Amino acid sequence: MSAGRFAGQAVVVTGAGQGIGRGVALALAREGAQLVLADRAAIVEEVAAEVAALGALVTVARGDLETWEGAEQLNAAALAAFGRVDVLINNVGGTIWVQPFQEYGPAQIEAEIRRSLFPTLWCCRAVLPDMLQRQQGVIVNVSSVATRGIYRIPYSAAKGGVNALTASLAMEHAQHGIRVNAVATGGTEAPPRKVPRNEQPLNAQEHQWYQGIVDQTKNSSLMQRYGTIDEQVAAILFLASKDASYITGSVLPVGGGDQG
């Protein structure tokens, strides 16, 4: 990474409280970005403090991005803080339950789609008017190679939706100077989540299903391993930067050879 790729740019990072989102926020701060960090959990304040310690301007927007109102409020906070959104990085998502599709109830399926599709859909819609007015902007959506995977079918469907959104939005708005791409993350080593997606501990059967996901993920990777947060962050920042100025409508798999 070269210092300064995002100097003076206003960048929104959703799901910034932990994991890949936190890694993206810290890397952007080191490269000169002005940051709006979004999360519904209070831990995002800790990340904001880390970012500020690196010398970056930062504001926090807490809210529920599964709703249009939450996305609107995030966009308003970014415009109030910096007057524009140069880059939007949509990182909210992640499977809540681990089980074969026939075990999912209707409410669980709807919750998975709300978690892993709607925050990206709403936030893209929220930032578009400003980007269109300025005839420039960059959106990077965090997808997953789990569009082809086991025991999390609703999540897979949601991330397939993210990929379709990415391609269609890029096609619609390339003429307006807006680039839209996605990084399809593979299995990624990360510290234990401070705020779990599912507060209920896994039972013995669910542990077995979860191990099935781990095994399938490694077996689908040509490198036969999980990636690191830094490896995912590097791809996200590349697509967000001017280094990728002639790339739009693409989904970049970062899964050790797993194409999703």
Side-chain angles (χ1 to χ4, degrees):
M1 295 181 183
S2 57
R5 283 188 299 181
F6 297 92
Q9 293 190 48
V11 184
V12 174
V13 182
T14 74
Q18 56 190 325
I20 292 172
R22 173 181 173 272
V24 167
L26 293 174
L28 285 166
R30 296 186 186 101
E31 294 207 43
Q34 304 172 114
L35 289 163
V36 180
L37 304 184
D39 207 296
R40 62 183 175 189
I43 56 174
V44 71
E45 302 284 356
E46 300 172 14
V47 180
E50 292 181 273
V51 164
L54 293 171
L57 294 176
V58 58
T59 191
V60 169
R62 289 186 60 192
D64 185 0
L65 297 180
E66 293 180 13
T67 69
W68 166 241
E69 292 76 16
E72 272 191 311
Q73 290 165 9
L74 169 57
N75 184 58
L79 296 180
F82 302 119
R84 68 197 185 283
V85 174
D86 294 308
V87 180
L88 167 65
I89 297 175
N90 286 308
N91 180 63
V92 174
T95 192
I96 306 170
W97 291 278
V98 174
Q99 55 198 4
F101 190 43
Q102 67 271 16
E103 300 292 332
Y104 280 87
Q108 290 178 319
I109 292 171
E110 290 185 8
E112 294 279 11
I113 299 299
R114 286 197 305 272
R115 173 68 54 85
S116 292
L117 174 59
F118 273 92
T120 297
L121 191 73
W122 291 140
C123 287
C124 286
R125 171 62 181 83
V127 303
L128 264 179
D130 174 65
M131 289 185 174
L132 287 169
Q133 184 176 10
R134 294 185 299 111
Q135 292 287 284
Q136 61 182 25
V138 177
I139 297 173
V140 179
N141 299 322
V142 177
S143 182
S144 174
V145 298
T147 48
R148 188 183 293 265
I150 63 172
Y151 299 154
R152 42 185 172 167
I153 300 301
Y155 171 74
S156 300
K159 289 302 188 180
V162 169
N163 292 350
L165 167 66
T166 298
S168 296
L169 197 59
M171 181 176 289
E172 189 166 290
H173 291 300
Q175 63 182 318
H176 302 124
I178 299 170
R179 292 193 302 108
V180 188
N181 291 292
V183 169
T185 62
T188 305
E189 298 284 358
R193 292 182 60 84
K194 294 181 180 180
V195 178
R197 297 189 182 102
N198 185 346
E199 304 243 348
Q200 297 298 318
L202 299 180
N203 61 35
Q205 177 62 81
E206 289 166 339
H207 273 291
Q208 185 175 351
W209 287 330
Y210 185 82
Q211 187 59 47
I213 287 179
V214 172
D215 294 342
Q216 179 259 300
T217 299
K218 289 184 177 178
N219 290 335
S220 297
S221 167
L222 301 183
M223 294 183 177
Q224 297 284 291
R225 67 171 176 86
Y226 271 39
T228 67
I229 287 177
D230 285 345
E231 286 173 322
Q232 303 299 341
V233 169
I236 292 167
L237 263 63
F238 164 67
L239 288 177
S241 76
K242 291 182 180 178
D243 292 343
S245 59
Y246 195 49
I247 301 174
T248 195
S250 295
V251 177
L252 174 62
V254 186
D258 185 351
Q259 302 300 301

